[in-house]
Amino acid sequence: MTLRTESSTSTGRIGDSPQRPDATLKVTGQFAYSSDLWMEGMLWGSTLRSPHPYARIRSIDIAPALAMAGVQAVLTADDVPGINAYGLDHPDQPVLAEDVVRYQGEPVALVAADHPEVARLAAERIVVDYEQLTPITDAMTAVGHVDWNTPGRTGVPSLHPDGNLVRHVKIRTGDPDPKADVVIIGEYDVGMQDQAFLGPESGLAVPAEDGGIDLYVATQWLHVDQKQICAALGLGPDKVRLTLAGVGGAFGGREDLSMHVHACLLAIHTGKPVKIVYNRAESFLGHVHRHPARMRYEHGVRRDGTIVYVHATIYLDGGAYASSTPAVVANAATMGIGPYDVPNVRMDCYGAYTNNPPCGAMRGFGTVQAAYAYEAQLDRIAAELGLDPVGVRCRNALHEGSRVPTGQLVDSAAPVVELLHRVEALPLPPPVDPSRLDLREQPGGVSNTTHGEGVRRGVGYAVAFKNVGFSEGFDDYSTARVRLEIVGGEPVVTVYTAAAEVGQGLVTVEQQIVRTELGVEKVVLAPADTRVGNGGSTSASRQTYVTGGALKAACEAVRAEVFDVAQRCYGRMVRGLRLVDGKVVSDTEGGIGSLADLLADTVVERTVEWRHRPTYPLDPETGQADAHVQYAFAAHRAVVDVDTELGLVKVVALDCVQDVGRAINPQAVRGQIYGGSVQGLGLAVMEEIVVTDGLVRNASFTDYLIPTILDVPPMRVELLEYADPHAPYGLRGVGEPPTISSGPAILSALRQATRQPLTHIPVHPDHLIGGPVALTNPE
Amino acid sequence: MEFLTPMGWDEALAMKADRPDALPLAGGTDVMVELNLTAHRPAALLDLTRIPELRTWSTTANEHIRLGAGVTYRQVIDELADQLPGLAMAARTVGSPQIRNRGTVGGNLGAASPAGDSHPPLLAVGAQIEVSSKTRGSRLIPIDEFFTGVKRNALAPDELIAAAVIPTARGPQQFSKIGTRNAMVIAVCSFALALDAHTEVVGTGIGSAAPTPIRADEAERYLTEVLQGLRLWRRRSPLPESVVRRFAELVAEAAAPIDDVRGTAVYRRHALSVLARRTLTWAWDEYWATGQSAA
Ligand SMILES: Cc1cc2nc3c(=O)[nH]c(=O)nc-3n(C[C@H](O)[C@H](O)[C@H](O)COP(=O)(O)OP(=O)(O)OC[C@H]3O[C@@H](n4cnc5c(N)ncnc54)[C@H](O)[C@@H]3O)c2cc1C
């Protein structure tokens, strides 16, 4: 293990921090995002959306829209040629609503026009006659429960043919009726967070001469989009070709389709290229969010702080359509006890259909919500027993060799205790100097609400626990093609993969892997598209692991072929061959020759489909299985100053120690930790889509607040590198863990400062001053 | 949508008289958001950014600042922090550097949002708004009469805002604003306080806690009477705690807040009382400690 606190930018191999290939373009504002796509003669698409959370459609009159000058097409569900249903897990979501709308913002009709304003105005002229129905807006009610884990409510209308339960995951391990000295029960709820990516949903669909379609779109997974688009259009995969357009952030919000099929339908219908770009308000309605959660946790502990059992119940509100709710439910359930070794566990996690906005993937994927509950419980255990919060966590921490509640063995590093000790040992920020008033250091900032009055400091800790990669037996793989050739006397490698770069830096890592494996400086990345095999999803902290693994394997295959060529040229077998600086070198015989000479016109190209080790489905009754690929851990310490009279917060420090297995690109790893920590901070203290009776009340950046630089403290970050023997280069996925622990650490610090229970996340000023709880999603 | 580009003030007034449906455009930080996010399309935009005199301020004979409607927050912060400290403090809390560079006090008054941050300090000092039309010339509207409803003001359809006429500070001023983020946030509620050591009068302004920005009349009256009655202006002694408390209560009572997505009525009232207490303490400490007075 090495401890890394500084990063270098040397030669662009693994372990270095070379500049991103798109860095200059992005910093100078010249990078082309999907919203910048343009083509001569293209049309603009616009989407008419339901204003109601739940209603029957009696009729749709498109005539007034068609009558407008400049309008080229107006389409409804009747115009969907294939199956009018899509979805990541199962296809339950219509491309365009048929007889019923199930959430506010559900697409009902489409317009293509020669100007975006015309398209929008025309969409408004479409007359839809709705019969409003009473929306179901609470997950517990939706699944017919009268109390935690207690069925008994009848007469709840079904929003889908199979009822309102999307999935129930049960985990049962150990003694079903355990005894403990002290029992701590807590109830928590987490509001709906948005990915708040800056680049709105957008893309350009271009009809092709072969009757097919080329779609340029910002997404996280080209091939899963392609599959769903094919079904909706009734076209084969050879006719539906996708190319990744510039992605302005994703965080899970681009795993589901948004405008994809819509643009294709309009393009096929009009025979012209069609571009669709959502505006900010539409974007808030146009992608899935993080599931709101209601959670009840019961911890039984011995007096020394050892956890004897955990009984937990979680309801996740999946909203109107399934999206990835089934997998999110499994994650919340299997990771929901946290990084703690607990012998007796009873966990029930439910995902429900309601008439709220659909919820699906977001960074952390089910574990974020649970972490708020389990970490709050750990603090309460410490308080109740008069123990140190870090000490209680260490006493119960998972280790390599522990078994998690699903029975799976933790078979690589799980340095929870070390992470906690290291983050605890980092220097604390100094107290605010009262003789030097700087409003930017105060809760409220330059809004000038306190000069120190009412301000109390708190410190809190939390640990993240996250599975990396797709779980439960999913065939999770990636494809990479590597081509080595001599161009202008120089070896050049071209990498082909469909894996989506969404800002995280996969493109940089790809170049580093090739340089390391093939000793070639010049690495060209072909545009990500569906002409190469499936790259899998850019999610679950998996791309460096899986596409990185595929690329490494493809490089190895290319290298073996190069060595063959070299030995054929050399006339005999040579031992200990390596590729260094464009040359084939032997450990025993020195330089064999340059690639330029050895290869000349020979092009070496290999394509590899690469899988991580298999996982297995959960037992439906006990939840037992080796369901996950790899576990990742991070620990945060938060220091906060709270104005206890006004309930305003300044996060003073947010330090993190994370085990990353191997930092392929230390600067990018740190970037993930900074960004992830801030996204967690946002959920802790400000980010919530407020939904009342199924209606979104803050679909704008005016009222959906995300952290500004004055809300974000300087962060100390330490990386541990305990290699995972099962993973390429020993790496561990890094993108999600910091998002999971930063918020709970802040909540812990806020509770210490205010002595309030703070059971609703995000906290509101009212909660922090102990006043009436208000403004949460209605129950 | 037509785009009208007057090069001078008279031309602008003539165009507005001609086209009362034309929407004035200053920094555009409200107008452009509105255009981007809503279906509302005005028949015409009247671009006021090419009129130099709107972007300047001057000092009048009676020690008032005549602040052209097109003066930006940035200018107020950089150039007027001494004469108009309350307004400058409010300007510092507006948006982000980009918004402060473009956004104007005139635009804030034009939008007349209950959350407009320039409004409470203008109320606290009793500013007047100078408005003009082609046919009737100019008139001064007392700030108390300027806000007529949620996002409505006293302008006639053919009128434009020319300037705000603002008394220069003759005593400490404060402005505080509550937001659930430490920068770039719309006020959950806000409070402005102005102490006039010359006339021995207290002024207040409350934002985001009623359909329009308002003054806390009772609180002003109470504190003015107590300070005069106890001769505290001259004695320069600390304020009795009970006076601060009563003032804070009266400020909270003056508000008529609602529950909305930014906060609850109960919280707004509570927060206003805290802000009133703190700002009064800071202002009085400043007055008392520095011995600074116009007397
Ligand atoms: C990101 C962001 C953050 C913001 N933060 C804040 C904040 O913290 N506090 C705050 O108070 N506001 C805030 N605002 C709102 C806005 O910046 C202010 O209201 C600003 O003062 C508007 O000034 P402007 O010059 O941009 O006005 P414009 O947008 O040009 O105009 C605003 C309104 O005034 C009218 N108008 C403009 N000039 C005149 C005139 N001379 N005569 C008659 N009518 C006129 C316009 O027709 C329009 O109705 C924010 C806006 C944004 C986009």
Side-chain angles (χ1 to χ4, degrees):
Chain A
M1 195 271 317
T2 54
L3 175 69
R4 209 185 269 278
T5 47
E6 280 312 312
S7 58
S8 70
T9 51
S10 57
T11 60
R13 296 158 64 93
I14 279 179
D16 299 331
S17 296
Q19 185 172 304
R20 297 175 59 104
D22 54 7
T24 306
L25 289 177
K26 282 185 167 167
V27 171
T28 56
Q30 298 183 68
F31 183 82
Y33 289 97
S34 54
S35 50
D36 300 319
L37 292 163
W38 191 85
M39 223 176 164
E40 192 66 43
M42 74 181 188
L43 304 176
W44 295 79
S46 176
T47 312
L48 177 70
R49 295 172 183 276
S50 166
H52 307 299
Y54 194 26
R56 224 180 299 287
I57 298 177
R58 290 207 195 90
S59 64
I60 304 178
D61 182 6
I62 62 170
L66 273 175
M68 269 183 77
V71 170
Q72 307 259 349
V74 182
L75 307 180
T76 65
D78 293 341
D79 301 299
V80 178
I83 300 161
N84 185 19
Y86 69 92
L88 284 173
D89 186 81
H90 57 279
D92 63 351
Q93 185 159 2
V95 171
L96 292 168
E98 288 175 14
D99 46 352
V100 61
V101 286
R102 295 185 180 84
Y103 72 97
Q104 177 204 19
E106 180 158 357
V108 174
L110 304 169
V111 176
D114 47 21
H115 191 278
E117 278 281 290
V118 176
R120 194 182 50 73
L121 290 172
E124 278 168 20
R125 293 216 185 157
I126 298 169
V127 182
V128 185
D129 183 10
Y130 292 103
E131 176 193 343
Q132 287 194 56
L133 305 169
T134 308
I136 301 174
T137 57
D138 171 57
M140 207 178 195
T141 309
V143 297
H145 286 195
V146 289
D147 199 353
W148 296 100
N149 227 359
T150 314
R153 193 187 296 272
T154 52
V156 182
S158 281
L159 299 174
H160 289 270
D162 294 331
N164 298 335
L165 179 64
V166 181
R167 190 173 183 191
H168 174 195
V169 168
K170 296 183 233 181
I171 295 175
R172 305 282 183 269
T173 189
D175 181 354
D177 194 19
K179 300 282 175 292
D181 298 338
V182 177
V183 174
I184 309 271
I185 298 173
E187 293 181 9
Y188 308 91
D189 64 296
V190 176
M192 187 186 287
Q193 190 182 17
D194 190 69
Q195 296 83 356
F197 43 68
L198 293 187
E201 291 82 349
S202 40
L204 176 70
V206 185
E209 281 181 1
D210 65 352
I213 191 98
D214 291 288
L215 176 67
Y216 302 82
V217 69
T219 180
Q220 293 181 239
W221 189 356
L222 290 166
H223 282 81
V224 85
D225 290 358
Q226 183 190 37
K227 190 171 141 212
Q228 297 171 86
I229 298 167
C230 284
L233 298 179
L235 292 174
D238 55 321
K239 290 276 168 37
V240 177
R241 298 161 295 251
L242 273 72
T243 303
L244 186 69
V247 182
F251 312 108
R254 294 189 213 269
E255 289 187 36
D256 295 74
L257 298 182
S258 58
M259 42 60 63
H260 307 50
V261 182
H262 299 161
C264 292
L265 283 174
L266 290 169
I268 290 170
H269 206 85
T270 59
K272 291 185 181 159
V274 174
K275 173 172 174 173
I276 295 183
V277 184
Y278 291 178
N279 72 14
R280 184 57 59 191
E282 188 173 21
S283 177
F284 271 101
L285 301 174
H287 61 256
V288 300
H289 314 289
R290 189 191 296 292
H291 291 74
R294 292 181 68 189
M295 303 175 284
R296 181 185 190 277
Y297 273 62
E298 177 178 327
H299 279 66
V301 289
R302 285 210 299 264
R303 296 226 168 270
D304 64 3
T306 308
I307 301 173
V308 179
Y309 72 87
V310 177
H311 294 167
T313 308
I314 300 175
Y315 295 87
L316 297 173
D317 183 348
Y321 295 101
S323 177
S324 47
T325 295
V328 174
V329 168
N331 255 30
T334 57
M335 314 301 294
I337 307 305
Y340 303 110
D341 194 347
V342 181
N344 309 298
V345 171
R346 192 176 75 217
M347 159 69 80
D348 289 274
C349 183
Y350 301 89
Y353 283 125
T354 65
N355 293 113
N356 289 325
C359 290
M362 183 173 173
R363 198 177 195 173
F365 206 77
T367 65
V368 167
Q369 297 91 326
Y372 278 102
Y374 66 67
E375 288 298 73
Q377 289 286 100
L378 265 287
D379 280 342
R380 286 191 51 198
I381 292 167
E384 181 79 21
L385 300 173
L387 300 171
D388 168 52
V390 171
V392 168
R393 286 175 171 83
C394 290
R395 170 177 288 278
N396 293 287
L398 280 181
H399 298 273
E400 182 167 358
S402 305
R403 287 195 184 271
V404 297
T406 57
Q408 185 164 3
L409 182 72
V410 179
D411 60 359
S412 70
V416 176
V417 171
E418 185 181 349
L419 293 172
L420 278 163
H421 283 152
R422 282 187 182 275
V423 80
E424 191 178 29
L426 291 174
L428 280 163
V432 172
D433 179 354
S435 68
R436 247 191 61 249
L437 178 68
D438 181 344
L439 286 176
R440 290 169 306 180
E441 293 176 355
Q442 299 286 339
V446 292
S447 293
N448 188 37
T449 48
T450 179
H451 298 173
E453 295 91 340
V455 176
R456 277 216 298 267
R457 180 159 288 190
V459 180
Y461 293 85
V463 190
F465 181 40
K466 180 67 181 55
N467 54 322
V468 173
F470 280 33
S471 302
E472 295 188 84
F474 190 90
D475 183 23
D476 191 16
Y477 69 97
S478 181
T479 316
R481 179 184 307 153
V482 171
R483 177 186 170 95
L484 169 62
E485 64 201 310
I486 307 303
V487 178
E490 246 195 289
V492 175
V493 172
T494 309
V495 174
Y496 301 84
T497 154
E501 165 66 41
V502 301
Q504 83 279 34
L506 179 67
V507 284
T508 326
V509 165
E510 287 171 348
Q511 292 183 322
Q512 291 176 258
I513 289 175
V514 173
R515 290 196 193 108
T516 305
E517 297 299 333
L518 297 181
V520 171
E521 259 324 285
K522 192 152 170 42
V523 184
V524 178
L525 305 173
D529 61 36
T530 49
R531 286 178 304 180
V532 61
N534 196 337
S537 180
T538 295
S539 65
S541 306
R542 70 178 277 292
Q543 277 304 21
T544 300
Y545 191 132
V546 189
T547 292
L551 188 52
K552 177 171 186 277
C555 286
E556 284 161 0
V558 165
R559 194 169 57 203
E561 172 66 24
V562 170
F563 289 164
D564 272 0
V565 172
Q567 292 176 111
R568 276 202 297 278
C569 291
Y570 207 59
R572 63 181 169 83
M573 298 281 286
V574 188
R575 299 207 314 182
L577 288 180
R578 287 179 295 126
L579 284 175
V580 184
D581 295 337
K583 297 188 207 61
V584 180
V585 180
S586 157
D587 288 340
T588 50
E589 306 187 20
I592 302 294
S594 73
L595 284 174
D597 293 341
L598 291 169
L599 291 180
D601 293 338
T602 311
V603 175
V604 182
E605 183 176 298
R606 289 289 181 275
T607 303
V608 170
E609 218 172 68
W610 190 86
R611 288 170 167 74
H612 56 64
R613 58 179 169 162
T615 60
Y616 302 92
L618 299 171
D619 178 277
E621 288 311 313
T622 64
Q624 298 300 295
D626 289 350
H628 297 309
V629 184
Q630 184 189 52
Y631 294 114
F633 304 89
H636 270 94
R637 181 185 63 197
V639 181
V640 301
D641 281 344
V642 188
D643 184 333
T644 53
E645 279 188 292
L646 290 173
L648 303 181
V649 175
K650 171 78 185 174
V651 180
V652 178
L654 190 57
D655 301 326
C656 182
V657 184
Q658 183 167 335
D659 174 24
V660 301
R662 177 81 200 271
I664 302 292
N665 182 322
Q667 189 183 53
V669 165
R670 280 162 186 280
Q672 287 294 311
I673 296 174
Y674 296 135
S677 300
V678 175
Q679 205 156 27
L681 180 156
L683 175 57
V685 300
M686 63 182 83
E687 292 189 36
E688 180 173 12
I689 296 188
V690 181
V691 184
T692 307
D693 300 330
L695 298 173
V696 174
R697 293 171 64 197
N698 55 341
S700 76
F701 281 151
T702 306
D703 283 314
Y704 184 86
L705 300 182
I706 56 177
T708 70
I709 195 67
L710 281 186
D711 300 286
V712 176
M715 292 180 228
R716 289 175 199 273
V717 170
E718 260 184 27
L719 308 181
L720 299 186
E721 299 186 78
Y722 287 113
D724 177 351
H726 311 286
Y729 305 114
L731 71 84
R732 219 171 266 287
V734 296
E736 291 168 287
T739 318
I740 299 162
S741 42
S742 70
I746 291 167
L747 260 288
S748 170
L750 291 171
R751 289 189 190 101
Q752 195 194 60
T754 62
R755 296 182 183 84
Q756 297 295 334
L758 307 181
T759 57
H760 177 84
I761 287 87
V763 290
H764 297 286
D766 310 52
H767 310 163
L768 290 163
I769 60 174
V773 176
L775 203 79
T776 83
N777 287 312
E779 249 74 282
Chain B
M1 202 186 328
E2 263 184 90
F3 196 72
L4 309 173
T5 56
M7 304 305 286
W9 185 236
D10 291 339
E11 192 186 355
L13 293 177
M15 284 176 169
K16 186 66 174 154
D18 236 32
R19 298 288 306 268
D21 58 354
L23 184 72
L25 176 70
T29 59
D30 278 318
V31 168
M32 292 315 296
V33 173
E34 183 87 0
L35 288 184
N36 279 329
L37 275 190
T38 71
H40 175 67
R41 291 289 175 271
L45 287 176
L46 179 66
D47 176 18
L48 301 178
T49 58
R50 290 151 219 254
I51 304 169
E53 57 262 46
L54 280 187
R55 290 207 300 270
T56 60
W57 59 269
S58 55
T59 311
T60 65
N62 60 349
E63 300 272 310
H64 284 42
I65 300 292
R66 186 181 177 281
L67 190 80
V71 172
T72 64
Y73 295 110
R74 176 88 263 145
Q75 285 175 276
V76 173
I77 295 165
D78 290 347
E79 300 162 19
L80 288 163
D82 291 336
Q83 290 109 306
L84 307 177
L87 185 64
M89 289 170 107
R92 262 182 227 115
T93 76
V94 172
S96 56
Q98 297 91 327
I99 298 298
R100 294 193 286 275
N101 286 342
R102 280 204 73 83
T104 64
V105 174
N108 212 221
L109 290 164
S113 158
D117 285 325
S118 72
H119 308 150
L122 295 178
L123 281 160
V125 298
Q128 294 180 298
I129 309 306
E130 184 188 324
V131 303
S132 310
S133 68
K134 182 183 175 203
T135 46
R136 298 182 309 284
S138 291
R139 62 182 177 126
L140 285 172
I141 308 176
I143 186 79
D144 310 61
E145 295 164 23
F146 185 77
F147 306 105
T148 55
V150 179
K151 299 196 175 181
R152 286 212 320 272
N153 60 31
L155 284 191
D158 63 343
E159 280 177 329
L160 292 172
I161 301 167
V165 183
I166 314 166
T168 49
R170 292 186 298 195
Q173 299 186 352
Q174 282 290 338
F175 175 80
S176 284
K177 150 175 155 183
I178 302 277
T180 43
R181 169 162 86 178
N182 288 329
M184 201 156 91
V185 67
I186 306 232
V188 172
C189 61
S190 63
F191 182 69
L193 177 71
L195 301 183
D196 188 332
H198 201 101
T199 57
E200 302 192 345
V201 167
V202 175
T204 62
I206 295 175
S208 268
T212 66
I214 54 169
R215 292 167 55 166
D217 299 303
E218 277 298 320
E220 290 179 3
R221 225 175 353 257
Y222 165 77
L223 188 58
T224 301
E225 279 169 17
V226 170
L227 294 180
Q228 288 178 6
L230 298 177
R231 300 172 43 80
L232 290 176
W233 289 103
R234 253 144 290 171
R235 297 225 303 262
R236 290 181 180 275
S237 54
L239 286 179
E241 177 56 33
S242 61
V243 171
V244 180
R245 214 169 38 238
R246 182 68 191 139
F247 174 71
E249 275 168 22
L250 289 171
V251 168
E253 280 170 26
I258 55 167
D259 288 350
D260 67 16
V261 75
R262 292 174 195 149
T264 61
V266 174
Y267 174 76
R268 286 186 159 106
R269 241 189 242 284
H270 162 79
L272 280 172
S273 75
V274 175
L275 295 185
R277 176 154 46 79
R278 290 185 184 171
T279 51
L280 176 56
T281 308
W282 300 333
W284 192 258
D285 281 355
E286 180 187 332
Y287 173 69
W288 179 52
T290 62
Q292 174 195 85
S293 150

